[in-house]
Amino acid sequence: MKIVVAGASGLVGTALVAALQRDGHVVHRLVRRAAKTADEITWDPARGEIDRRRIDGVDAVVNLAGENLGAGRWTEARRGRILRSRIDATRTLVAAMLGVATRPTVFLSASAVGFYGDRGDDVLTESSGPGRGFLPEVCQAWEGAAQRAEEAGVRTVRLRFGVVLAAEGGALAKMLPLFRLGLGGPLGSGRQWMSWISLDDAIGAIVHALRDERVRGPVNVVAPAPVTNADFTRELARAVRRPAFLPAPAWALRLVLGKGMADEALLGSTRAEPGVLEGTGYAFRHPTLAAALQG
Ligand SMILES: NC(=O)c1ccc[n+]([C@@H]2O[C@H](COP(=O)([O-])OP(=O)(O)OC[C@H]3O[C@@H](n4cnc5c(N)ncnc54)[C@H](OP(=O)(O)O)[C@@H]3O)[C@@H](O)[C@H]2O)c1
């Protein structure tokens, strides 16, 4: 397949491009600077600019672009960038896809289980409604922009990622140094659910969604075994063979990270299940947290 990837330099994008190239696909990466090689395509999502000729006739577009959520406190300015970067990128891609003579057959667009918000012990499937808060608002607007492609008849998959676990980046890479020093511990009450997926399975699920025409609409890209934060803490401590007794109280997290990020990203409870992935036969490489942390 000929596949265009936006957000290709990120944690998921880097691993995805490598996996697709290994499988023999032709991958073109969208870059927000001058292209340096023939497989790069310059775009400016903030201005809605992209060379449509490079989208004409490709088989698939994968949209992973967006300002990183964990890069700093969610000030008003950052909230604006988090939202706008996703809407602008998605709109730019959808307008390009719908404006070319030969449209792609499939559009995969990132979203997050943040769509569901803080939902206690509720088991969340793809048909569960959105929650309340900043992340649910971002995800709804982001998915809404992607759905324009769906409405126009392009098979569109909204990838609702859980926390992607990888030693090389993202949330786990931030936690590992503390846990290796024996300074890890539960966050807040530790009772909140965390929906996670190994990076390998995040890539496996994307490849599955590219191939399998039954996969469309919202898809929870999460492992079948969500855990509470207390269980996650115990399992990660076991993996690095260190104790993890130092709890991080909710007030301290709010003080350091700001209330919005602490309450929504770390203390909120989201227990999502991979109904569509399991229903369409995706076989997880790391179905349990222990397997994911062992690599
Ligand atoms: N990792 C997770 O745990 C997780 C969980 C839930 C949802 N997601 C979502 O899944 C997608 C991929 O995740 P990831 O971890 O690979 O993200 P990431 O490492 O933060 O990478 C996102 C990429 O988006 C592009 N980007 C950054 N700022 C941008 C901006 N202002 N405007 C347009 N593009 C921008 C960059 O690529 P270029 O420089 O190449 O343009 C960046 O490498 C993201 O949209 C993320 O929100 C991730």
Side-chain angles (χ1 to χ4, degrees), residues 7-13 30 32 45 64-69 85-86 110-112 142 161-164:
S9 69
L11 176 66
V12 177
L30 289 167
R32 292 172 296 143
L64 301 168
E67 174 100 4
N68 191 288
L69 260 81
S85 60
R86 287 170 170 76
S111 178
W142 196 8
F161 288 108
V163 178
V164 178

Side-chain angles (χ1 to χ4, degrees), residues 124-126 218-222 224 272-281 284:
L124 302 161
T125 68
E126 283 89 353
V219 175
N220 290 342
V221 186
V222 298
E273 281 191 343
V276 172
L277 287 179
E278 289 192 318
T280 52
F284 284 87

Side-chain angles (χ1 to χ4, degrees), residues 27-216:
V27 182
H28 288 178
R29 288 167 292 125
L30 289 167
V31 294
R32 292 172 296 143
R33 51 165 171 74
K36 292 179 187 154
T37 53
D39 63 350
E40 291 186 344
I41 306 169
T42 301
W43 73 325
D44 186 343
R47 290 166 172 265
E49 290 171 4
I50 189 168
D51 183 351
R52 291 192 178 180
R53 288 166 304 181
R54 303 286 301 272
I55 305 295
D56 201 352
V58 305
D59 299 295
V61 174
V62 184
N63 173 24
L64 301 168
E67 174 100 4
N68 191 288
L69 260 81
R73 287 171 83 99
W74 292 358
T75 58
E76 275 312 301
R78 283 209 73 238
R79 282 172 193 254
R81 286 202 299 276
I82 287 169
L83 177 67
R84 260 197 323 276
S85 60
R86 287 170 170 76
I87 307 303
D88 290 348
T90 310
R91 282 191 183 150
T92 304
L93 291 173
V94 171
M97 286 190 296
L98 301 186
V100 294
T102 310
R103 294 174 175 180
T105 51
V106 57
F107 175 44
L108 308 188
S109 195
S111 178
V113 294
F115 175 89
Y116 303 113
D118 182 8
R119 302 286 280 270
D121 293 330
D122 291 358
V123 174
L124 302 161
T125 68
E126 283 89 353
S127 51
S128 302
R132 270 182 303 197
F134 174 63
L135 290 183
E137 278 168 25
V138 169
C139 290
Q140 283 176 87
W142 196 8
E143 292 194 15
Q147 272 171 284
R148 299 280 310 282
E150 201 166 305
E151 288 152 17
V154 177
R155 179 167 72 89
T156 298
V157 181
R158 292 172 264 143
L159 301 162
R160 292 184 182 157
F161 288 108
V163 178
V164 178
L165 298 181
E168 58 265 48
L172 181 61
K174 287 206 170 99
M175 286 185 263
L176 268 173
L178 276 180
F179 274 75
R180 286 195 174 118
L181 291 169
L183 296 174
L187 306 177
S189 72
R191 286 199 296 268
Q192 69 276 32
W193 288 91
M194 173 181 157
S195 299
W196 58 274
I197 181 137
S198 73
L199 180 59
D200 267 3
D201 274 322
I203 303 309
I206 293 173
V207 171
H208 174 74
L210 281 172
R211 285 198 193 126
D212 192 323
E213 287 180 14
R214 292 170 302 168
V215 181
R216 54 181 68 228

